[in-house]
Amino acid sequence: MSDGPPKHEMQYFPNMTAAMPSESAEFRRVLWTGLYSQVVLMTVPVGGDIGDEVHTVDQALTFTSGVGKATINGKDQDVKAGDLMVVPAGTQHQFVNTGPTPLILYTIYSPAEHDPRTVHKTKEEGDEEEEAGKDEAPEWSRRSQAENEKAGLVNTSGKY
């Protein structure tokens, strides 16, 4: 996986709402990081949770397997495979696996929240790396549209 901005190429993830996510065993794996967003696959083990947290970025979570409880700014909502939950930046949130199987989801952060190379086998590993400052979004993923255009990373012709 590259440390720099993404190439202008398609990224294809087949069966994201079926086979592939139901087989995931890692708590967190970054699948792709772009200039303005990031796709992350997460697996919350039976009885586990993601941790009560607040991000400075927007987050949209699509659940692909299992059942759980979402708490967003103090309001509870049951979630299951096929559901989409949006968490605006600056909003407290927690997701708990309440079922007998792993709760699996993919989330889109906008902009990126994690290092593009991130793979955390467990929540504890992820918490340790975040607290140590080892899981930070790259600087290039936090630039403005104008900065990216000036650097030649984005142009409206679509030709590079």
Side-chain angles (χ1 to χ4, degrees), residues 3 16 35 40 46-47 54 56-57 59 71 73 97 113 119 140 144 159-160:
D3 289 337
M16 279 300 291
L35 294 176
V40 177
V46 173
V54 176
T56 59
V57 302
Q59 185 176 12
T71 303
N73 200 21
N97 182 345
E113 177 71 9
V119 176
W140 53 260
S144 70
K159 294 179 176 37
Y160 297 91

Side-chain angles (χ1 to χ4, degrees), residues 57-137:
V57 302
D58 292 328
Q59 185 176 12
L61 304 95
T62 300
F63 298 87
T64 64
S65 182
V67 295
K69 180 178 80 170
T71 303
I72 310 296
N73 200 21
K75 182 179 177 187
D76 292 338
Q77 175 66 52
D78 291 334
V79 294
K80 65 187 180 319
D83 290 351
L84 170 69
M85 179 73 64
V86 176
V87 180
T91 303
Q92 172 275 337
H93 59 283
Q94 165 70 296
F95 295 89
V96 178
N97 182 345
T98 59
T101 61
L103 177 63
I104 301 175
L105 63 104
Y106 62 92
T107 183
I108 299 174
Y109 294 101
S110 182
E113 177 71 9
H114 298 282
D115 183 304
R117 299 162 295 186
T118 292
V119 176
H120 296 139
K121 294 192 185 312
T122 65
K123 177 182 180 299
E124 293 74 24
E125 180 183 356
D127 290 346
E128 287 174 17
E129 286 195 12
E130 286 181 11
E131 288 174 19
K134 295 180 181 178
D135 185 25
E136 301 294 324

